Amino acid sequence: KAGVTQTPRYLIKTRGQQVTLSCSPISGHRSVSWYQQTPGQGLQFLFEYFSETQRNKGNFPGRFSGRQFSNSRSEMNVSTLELGDSALYLCASREGLQAYEQYFGPGTRLTVT
Amino acid sequence: AQRVTQPEKLLSVFKGAPVELKCNYSYSGSPELFWYVQYSRQRLQLLLRHISRESIKGFTADLNKGETSFHLKKPFAQEEDSAMYYCALSNSGYALNFGKGTSLLVTP
């Protein structure tokens, strides 16, 4: 099976802009989670989607949002970008909410200038 | 509140030496604990899960509820073990709460 794919792999945006990142899970996986990775804070959970519904949410401002489509693909959106949003955004999929193993994508490197 | 602490940012050992990567957690319930690993230029991947109690690539980890620890151990480190290791906690199938990671460097 193909692994988790994320597009784009790299992005450069300006403060105040918005950005949309995309994640395609492993075929058959219905749960998609998003994480933000920074040198200072490490890996932090953003949110998880299952069957097009947000099931869990981390401690991030409302500027961070996401959605999941009927084919389980997911997007996350960050509005009004700030310099501190520069990070590697990782997507992970698993078969369902009770599946313990998460499979990670390669990440999208977002740089905000 | 859930918290995962990995006290060492960097751990350097010689090939063949024992290695222990420390992980402490705080959680009031019965957590699920994991070790994830990221080798250079590869994706983050699951290494161990505490419930499975198995040895993967020579690594083992024992959950010590009294000390709230889940240290990762290997008796003889190999150069290919050099990687970033993350301890993670999950509450009943919910999202992973990661520690900040320990970079393991095994030198010849």
Side-chain angles (χ1 to χ4, degrees), chain A residues 91-111:
Chain A
C91 165
S93 76
R94 52 178 174 159
E95 290 181 10
L97 292 178
Q98 296 306 313
Y100 66 86
E101 184 166 1
Q102 298 208 21
Y103 295 83
F104 284 83
T108 294
R109 171 74 62 186
L110 172 65
T111 301

Side-chain angles (χ1 to χ4, degrees), chain A residues 7-42:
Chain A
T7 57
R9 293 294 310 280
Y10 303 92
L11 263 180
I12 300 176
K13 289 286 188 178
T14 304
R15 268 183 302 175
Q17 288 186 314
Q18 76 165 13
V19 67
T20 299
L21 312 181
S22 181
C23 171
S24 292
I26 291 172
S27 177
H29 286 195
R30 297 172 63 196
S31 164
V32 174
S33 296
W34 289 89
Y35 294 84
Q36 182 195 64
Q37 186 175 29
T38 59
Q41 299 300 316

Side-chain angles (χ1 to χ4, degrees), chain A:
Chain A
K1 283 185 181 178
V4 177
T5 58
Q6 293 187 244
T7 57
R9 293 294 310 280
Y10 303 92
L11 263 180
I12 300 176
K13 289 286 188 178
T14 304
R15 268 183 302 175
Q17 288 186 314
Q18 76 165 13
V19 67
T20 299
L21 312 181
S22 181
C23 171
S24 292
I26 291 172
S27 177
H29 286 195
R30 297 172 63 196
S31 164
V32 174
S33 296
W34 289 89
Y35 294 84
Q36 182 195 64
Q37 186 175 29
T38 59
Q41 299 300 316
L43 277 156
Q44 293 185 282
F45 170 72
L46 279 155
F47 26 66
E48 180 175 24
Y49 285 86
F50 177 80
S51 291
E52 302 177 64
T53 302
Q54 189 180 92
R55 300 291 175 154
N56 298 296
K57 190 177 191 309
N59 189 24
F60 278 81
R63 300 185 296 108
F64 290 82
S65 63
R67 59 177 176 168
Q68 187 181 33
F69 302 94
S70 58
N71 62 358
S72 294
R73 190 177 70 84
S74 176
E75 289 180 348
M76 69 163 280
N77 184 276
V78 188
S79 62
T80 320
L81 283 165
E82 300 176 0
L83 294 179
D85 297 333
S86 295
L88 182 66
Y89 290 87
L90 292 173
C91 165
S93 76
R94 52 178 174 159
E95 290 181 10
L97 292 178
Q98 296 306 313
Y100 66 86
E101 184 166 1
Q102 298 208 21
Y103 295 83
F104 284 83
T108 294
R109 171 74 62 186
L110 172 65
T111 301
V112 182
T113 62

Side-chain angles (χ1 to χ4, degrees), chain B residues 15-26:
Chain B
K15 177 182 172 181
V19 62
E20 181 179 52
L21 294 104
K22 292 184 167 51
C23 172
N24 290 91
Y25 68 91
S26 62

Side-chain angles (χ1 to χ4, degrees), chain B residues 37-43 45 57 80-83 85:
Chain B
V37 60
Q38 187 166 27
Y39 300 101
S40 179
R41 300 183 186 278
Q42 293 189 28
R43 303 176 183 205
Q45 59 186 285
K57 298 184 178 183
E80 55 265 30
D81 296 328
S82 296
Y85 291 81

